[in-house]
């Protein structure tokens, strides 16, 4: 008996995919019955139908067109041969690739079942199969796929979920994406420290006009700002969202604008991002955000005033901080920690600009107020103790309550992420809003740890040892010893009474001696003596030993005269050093004279105190003593050029007001006075040219100057400056220069926001160099074309 072997193949986009033996039919089976039974196995696909012509193949050839509910048809071709009844006939044939005809709805059902059972590998295979068969699944299946992968909180599946979103937008099928699943995905990836994915999902939501409410996206950027890259992306995101609301573009009276207005950033969203910028060092990007705030109608709250002051301090804008001082003093709701941060900024700026008089006035005023507050506090305490009973137990309970609050402060952001079901129940996104506030508090605590110049004790502000060290070092660098002595004398009178050996004056003199600044130490001793302030013998001994070590005999004789006039008794170790110095210079008579003087004074050798012991005594009473801080400051050699800060302020003012000719004249004058422009100088210029628009040739000239300065003066390019340059070059179509900047950023492993530059390319240069290259072109034209195509490949990678 003979059977008919039936083979089938189908065409997908004009490519032959597979060949398979479907069934064996007996000769009695009619063709119509065969086609009828086969059509039940076929699935509906969308493709172009064939023309139905006969193929020149031996045997009977039949083509079957299977109807589709979509707008296209799918063609199947079948060949039949009469073959003998022998199962070994096909044993020599190679195995073909198997493609089964299946219903996409069945695959979608398998996908859903796999997701329900958390079999993500099987679910992903079913998803890929569905994409190959019938494109993306329907909206409900896609939403379930995204939310299930997001619930896993696993980086692998979160990346898979994002690839699904990316494919939907590439195929222009973003109508299959739902708003809530995308917000949930962005929230989970931000919690999982994947800020690039989070920002891209947020941007896609805005692109498809499914505007996420402020309560939702503020929680997302709160998590993003915990990392440096996330902070940059959060700043870009707020800039892009804020652009929609600039200069009252959106009419709040229109009902159709309500979804868009619900996304408008507020003071908390700005506060989170600005605090993140402070931590990551992106302070120039932060200042761009500050400039945007009034243009979209956002008023800073009291806590935001402090963040603004910190940003201005980092960028060296002392005039802006002085303007804020009145608002800070009048603000309601600021804590002592907020005032601590503000005055830390103001003092830091005074020191940066070498405004020592203002810094001294602030320190002395702080000491006076602290002294008065301590007296008031002592009086209040005595009254309370007389009136109130059981005070200890009450304060003990309060302290425990504060500790409990500290433990529960970040319970939401440190707990597990909510499931999608829990997420959807929270219709107002109150969980995300609460996490945004927790994220801000966490960032603020990290900023608080950076405050070094002012400390707060029971709500009273005090200068720290670090502040004294910086101030003393600034006086010494300016060679203002008399002014330094006057300040130290006033500070000693205002500060808490301490022993002479542990006073600020003694610690400063000892630090000068230890750092080799013997002349300054001697001058300070003279100032103390003229002012009637008695200084202990240990300081004179230390200075004499240092002079002996350096063999400065004239200074030794002068200091010994001062010692005798002051009636100070030197230590035996000091006499020993003097004797050794005389012997070393073959002055036997002088050595003998000093020995007799020591003997007549009845100095005991047991009374020796080394300088190291004195240092330990100075630093042992506190966590970090003034002397140790001053030594660190002097040896650090942080000689910042205040002239550069002054000129940068002038240039920034001109750039901010669009006076570019004046800014360029200021740069020329700055160079003429011997100050080399730095990264901040160029950032002000580049940002100003970008704001004006169309000044890309000028930016190119600046880039050439920057490269020349970097070669000769080792100027460091930071991420913010290079990103501003890259934006200008891409916007203006200067891709040769753009690729230079990209190469430098990638070499330094700096983050580049590819999404932003891909959007710029598509918006302004989509059709650039799309056709064939002209046969005749100059070498410059060829280089420009190659650079543009290289940039296009880079953004697509």
């Amino acid at each position: 008996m003979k059977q008919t072997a039936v083979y089938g193949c189908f065409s997908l986009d004009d490519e032959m995919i597979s060949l398979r033996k479907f069934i064996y039919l007996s000769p009695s089976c009619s063709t119509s019955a065969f086609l009828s039974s086969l059509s039940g196995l076929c699935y509906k696909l969308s493709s172009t139908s064939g023309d139905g012509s006969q193929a020149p193949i031996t045997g009977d050839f039949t083509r079957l067109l299977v109807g589709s509910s979509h707008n296209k048809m799918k063609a199947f071709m079948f060949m039949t041969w009469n073959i003998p009844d022998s199962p070994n006939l096909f044993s020599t044939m190679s195995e073909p690739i198997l493609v089964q005809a299946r219903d996409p709805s069945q695959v979608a059902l398998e996908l859903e079942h796999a997701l329900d059972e958390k079999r993500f590998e099987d679910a992903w295979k079913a998803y890929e199969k569905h994409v190959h068969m019938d494109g993306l699944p329907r909206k409900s299946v896609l939403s379930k796929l995204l939310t299930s992968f997001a619930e896993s909180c696993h980086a692998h599946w979160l990346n898979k979920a994002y690839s699904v979103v990316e494919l939907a937008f590439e195929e222009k099928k973003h109508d299959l994406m739902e708003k809530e699943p995308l917000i949930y995905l962005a929230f989970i990836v931000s919690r999982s420290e994947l800020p690039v994915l989070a920002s891209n999902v947020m941007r896609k939501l805005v692109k498809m006009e499914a505007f996420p409410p402020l309560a939702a996206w503020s929680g997302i950027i709160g998590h993003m700002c915990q990392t440096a890259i996330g902070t940059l992306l959060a700043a870009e995101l707020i800039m892009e969202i804020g652009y929609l609301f600039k200069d009252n573009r959106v009419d709040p009276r229109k009902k159709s604008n309500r979804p868009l207005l619900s996304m408008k950033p507020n003071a908390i969203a700005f506060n989170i991002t600005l605090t993140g910028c402070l931590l990551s060092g992106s302070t120039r990007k932060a200042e761009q955000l500050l400039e945007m705030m009034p243009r979209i109608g956002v008023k800073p709250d009291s806590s935001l005033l402090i963040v603004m002051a910190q940003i201005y301090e980092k960028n060296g804008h002392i005039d802006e901080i002085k303007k804020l001082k009145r608002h800070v003093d009048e603000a309601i709701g600021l804590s002592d920690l907020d005032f601590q941060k503000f005055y830390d900024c103001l003092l830091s700026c005074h020191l940066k600009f070498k405004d020592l008089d203002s810094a001294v006035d602030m320190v002395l005023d702080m000491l006076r107020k602290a002294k008065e507050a301590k007296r008031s506090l002592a009086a209040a305490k005595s009254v309370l103790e007389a009136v109130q009973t059981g005070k200890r137990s009450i304060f003990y309970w309060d302290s425990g309550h504060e500790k409990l609050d500290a433990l529960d402060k970040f319970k939401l952001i440190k707990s597990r992420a909510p499931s999608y079901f829990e997420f959807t129940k929270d219709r107002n996104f109150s969980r995300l809003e609460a996490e945004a506030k927790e994220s801000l508090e966490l960032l603020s605590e990290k900023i608080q740890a950076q405050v070094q110049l002012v400390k707060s004790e029971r709500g009273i502000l005090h200068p720290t040892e670090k502040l004294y060290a910086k101030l003393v070092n600034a006086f010494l660098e300016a060679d203002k010893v008399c002014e330094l002595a006057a300040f130290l004398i006033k500070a000693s009178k205002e500060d808490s009474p301490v022993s002479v050996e542990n006073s600020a004056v003694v610690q400063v003199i000892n630090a000068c001696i230890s750092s080799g600044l013997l002349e300054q130490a001697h001058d300070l001793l003279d100032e103390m003596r003229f002012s009637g302030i008695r200084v202990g013998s240990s300081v004179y001994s230390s200075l004499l030993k240092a002079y002996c070590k350096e063999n400065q005999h004239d200074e030794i004789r002068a200091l010994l005269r001062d010692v005798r006039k002051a009636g100070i008794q030197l230590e035996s170790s000091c006499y020993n050093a003097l004797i050794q110095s005389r012997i070393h210079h073959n002055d036997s008579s002088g050595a003998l004279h000093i020995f007799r003087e020591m003997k007549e004074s009845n100095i005991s050798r047991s009374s020796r105190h080394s300088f190291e012991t004195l240092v330990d005594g100075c630093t042992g009473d506190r966590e970090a003593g003034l002397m140790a801080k001053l030594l660190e400051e002097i040896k650090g050699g942080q000689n910042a050029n205040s002239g550069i800060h002054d000129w940068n302020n002038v240039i920034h003012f001109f750039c901010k007001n669009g006076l570019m000719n004046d800014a360029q004249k200021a740069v020329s004058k700055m160079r003429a006075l011997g100050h080399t422009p730095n990264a901040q100088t160029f950032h002000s210029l580049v940002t100003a040219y970008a704001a004006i628009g169309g000044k890309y040739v000028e930016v190119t000239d600046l880039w050439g100057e920057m490269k020349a300065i970097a070669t000769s003066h080792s100027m460091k390019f930071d991420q913010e400056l290079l990103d501003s340059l890259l934006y200008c070059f891409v916007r203006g179509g200067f891709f040769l220069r753009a690729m230079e900047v990209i190469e430098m950023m990638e070499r330094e492993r700096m983050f580049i926001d590819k999404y932003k530059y891909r959007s710029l390319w598509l918006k302004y240069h989509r059709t650039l160099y799309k056709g064939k290259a002209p046969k005749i072109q100059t070498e410059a034209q060829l280089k420009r074309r190659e650079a543009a195509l290289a940039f296009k490949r880079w953004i697509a990678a």
Side-chain angles (χ1 to χ4, degrees), residues 524-566:
L524 281 171
L525 271 175
D526 289 341
E527 291 293 333
M528 296 300 106
R529 186 162 51 83
F530 296 150
S531 302
I533 297 176
R534 185 177 177 82
V535 181
S537 62
S538 60
V539 179
Y540 284 96
S541 298
S542 300
L543 185 54
L544 274 170
K545 289 175 188 176
Y547 278 146
C548 290
K549 190 176 179 180
E550 297 294 328
N551 297 319
Q552 298 182 13
H553 297 289
D554 293 337
E555 286 77 4
I556 291 172
R557 283 191 289 271
L559 187 59
L560 283 172
R561 283 195 299 270
D562 295 340
V563 168
R564 293 187 185 103
K565 285 180 184 178

Side-chain angles (χ1 to χ4, degrees), residues 119-183:
R119 293 183 288 107
F120 293 146
E121 289 287 355
D122 294 338
W124 185 251
K125 288 177 182 176
Y127 161 76
E128 287 183 322
K129 191 182 295 183
H130 195 292
V131 169
H132 289 133
M133 288 168 53
D134 198 29
L136 290 166
R138 63 182 182 273
K139 186 182 290 188
S140 60
V141 177
L142 273 183
S143 297
K144 191 170 186 177
L145 179 69
L146 295 179
T147 55
S148 298
F149 282 0
E151 282 179 342
S152 71
C153 296
H154 193 284
H156 174 72
W157 297 116
L158 293 175
N159 278 286
K160 292 288 189 185
Y162 177 73
S163 69
V164 174
V165 178
E166 193 78 10
L167 180 63
F169 276 82
E170 282 177 7
E171 296 190 355
K172 297 186 177 1
K173 293 184 178 179
H174 50 264
D175 54 318
L176 294 174
M177 298 282 106
E178 290 185 299
K179 179 178 174 179
E180 282 75 16
L182 286 178
I183 294 176

Side-chain angles (χ1 to χ4, degrees), residues 340 343-344 347 366 451-456 461-464:
Q340 180 188 352
Y343 284 104
D344 180 88
L347 279 165
M366 203 180 295
V451 176
Q452 295 182 326
L453 305 183
V454 182
K455 61 184 177 182
S456 176
L461 299 181
H462 299 268
T464 62

Side-chain angles (χ1 to χ4, degrees), residues 225 231-232 234-235 271-287 289 311 443 447 720:
C225 287
T231 299
L232 285 171
N271 206 342
I272 292 170
T273 311
L274 292 170
T275 310
C277 287
L278 269 174
L279 277 172
S280 63
S282 306
T283 51
R284 290 191 284 272
K285 177 67 73 176
E287 196 161 343
L289 291 175
I311 291 166
L443 291 168
I447 288 290
E720 289 180 287

Side-chain angles (χ1 to χ4, degrees), residues 24 32 53 114 199 245 250 279 370 386 445 474 485 511 517 568 583 609 652 740 744 796:
Y24 283 106
S32 59
S53 60
S199 67
F245 300 96
V250 181
L279 277 172
E445 284 197 359
L517 304 173
I568 293 171
I583 293 172
H609 296 284
H652 177 76
E740 288 178 7
M744 181 177 288

Side-chain angles (χ1 to χ4, degrees), residues 75-96:
F76 283 86
M77 295 171 288
F78 300 96
M79 290 77 69
T80 61
W81 289 269
N82 290 325
I83 56 175
D85 185 13
S86 173
N88 297 323
L89 180 63
F90 298 97
S91 60
T92 59
M93 294 181 63
S94 61
E95 282 295 323

